[in-house]
Amino acid sequence: QVQVVESGGGLVQAGGSLRLSCTASGLRFADYTMGWFRQAPGKEREWVSCIAWWGENKDYTDSVKGRFTISRDNAKNTLYLQMNSLKPEDTAMYYCSAAYRARGFPPRSDEYTYWGQGTQVTVSS
């Protein structure tokens, strides 16, 4: 049974930092492109970033480029999202997701098979 569990969310002031983690079990982690999505109240789920299964290639949505860094540790089956210079508009529930041997950097949520329950990030102004 596949389980995906996020952690690391919390309340932070604008300009601060948080590091999200996502641990996946029940799958061969190295075979999956891993992604982060977020959803703010009243808004659609938004792709934030992903890192390819075949290596360290990664991509980001424009609004987080230069502030967020995605990384993975295949030995620990863990995905990370380092978030710096946080802004109030980054406030959302953040979700970790997995897509089996995806081509490129899939931006649509329906391209991912497994999802975590989310971790809340709140940035105060």
Side-chain angles (χ1 to χ4, degrees):
Q1 182 178 357
V2 175
Q3 285 192 318
V4 178
V5 180
E6 304 96 335
S7 62
L11 173 63
V12 64
Q13 288 188 332
S17 298
L18 282 174
R19 188 195 197 202
L20 305 185
S21 299
C22 166
T23 301
S25 60
L27 52 73
R28 189 171 184 273
F29 188 76
D31 280 339
Y32 286 79
T33 286
M34 299 299 296
W36 287 101
F37 285 74
R38 65 186 180 186
Q39 189 167 18
K43 295 188 176 181
E44 292 187 354
R45 190 167 294 191
E46 172 191 27
W47 174 79
V48 175
S49 179
C50 66
I51 184 166
W53 67 274
W54 68 85
E56 291 300 312
N57 303 72
K58 46 192 88 169
D59 198 14
Y60 303 89
T61 192
D62 286 347
S63 63
V64 308
K65 283 181 180 177
R67 300 188 298 121
F68 291 11
T69 302
I70 192 172
S71 61
R72 65 190 297 159
D73 185 338
N74 289 345
K76 295 182 178 180
N77 281 18
T78 301
L79 174 73
Y80 303 99
L81 186 67
Q82 178 66 44
M83 306 186 295
N84 298 329
S85 302
L86 282 161
K87 304 175 181 180
E89 51 263 44
D90 294 317
T91 294
M93 185 72 79
Y94 282 70
Y95 297 91
C96 172
S97 55
Y100 180 73
R101 294 197 172 190
R103 292 184 178 181
F105 301 104
R108 302 196 322 265
S109 58
D110 63 2
E111 297 177 282
Y112 293 79
T113 304
Y114 300 112
W115 292 83
Q117 293 300 305
T119 185
Q120 177 68 39
V121 171
T122 303
V123 184
S124 63
S125 57

